[in-house]
Amino acid sequence: MLTVEVKGLVQGEYKKKGYYLQTFSDYRTTSLVIAALVKIMLTKRVKGVATPYDITEIDEILSIINNDNIRLKNGSTAVKLQE
C-alpha cells in the first residue's frame, strides 16, 4: 500500500489527512502512472518543465488507468487539542 499522509494544526485542532493507494505491485502501478502521465502530457501539449501536480490531479490519472486492482481511499481525522 502506498500512503501519503499530512498532519498538522488548523485553528487549534490536530488534523490528519491521508490518501492510501492499494495495489498488488508497486512496479506495475508506477508504470501505469507514468503511462497515464505521458498520455496527459501529450494530450495537453505540455512544454517545458512541469511536475505532475502542475498538469493533472490523481482522479484524472486513475480514470485513465481504470484498473480494478487499484483503489484510492481518503481518510481524515480531527482531534481538539488540550489547552
Side-chain angles (χ1 to χ4, degrees):
M1 182 176 294
L2 306 172
T3 303
V4 175
E5 199 170 77
V6 178
K7 301 175 187 176
L9 291 175
V10 177
Q11 298 178 349
E13 284 188 320
Y14 174 77
K15 303 264 184 169
K16 179 174 141 181
K17 185 170 187 172
Y19 289 95
Y20 311 95
L21 184 65
Q22 183 176 355
T23 183
F24 293 105
S25 169
D26 182 44
Y27 296 113
R28 183 167 189 266
T29 303
T30 301
S31 64
L32 289 170
V33 169
I34 296 300
L37 286 172
V38 169
K39 181 177 181 179
I40 292 166
M41 291 176 68
L42 292 172
T43 301
K44 293 183 178 180
R45 298 180 182 204
V46 175
K47 295 181 181 178
V49 176
T51 68
Y53 306 109
D54 294 331
I55 62 170
T56 190
E57 295 179 0
I58 190 69
D59 292 334
E60 184 178 15
I61 293 170
L62 291 176
S63 71
I64 291 170
I65 293 172
N66 192 20
N67 187 312
D68 291 336
N69 291 327
I70 299 174
R71 294 187 299 277
L72 181 66
K73 296 180 182 178
N74 181 358
S76 59
T77 58
V79 178
K80 184 72 171 175
L81 290 179
Q82 300 294 326
E83 299 198 18

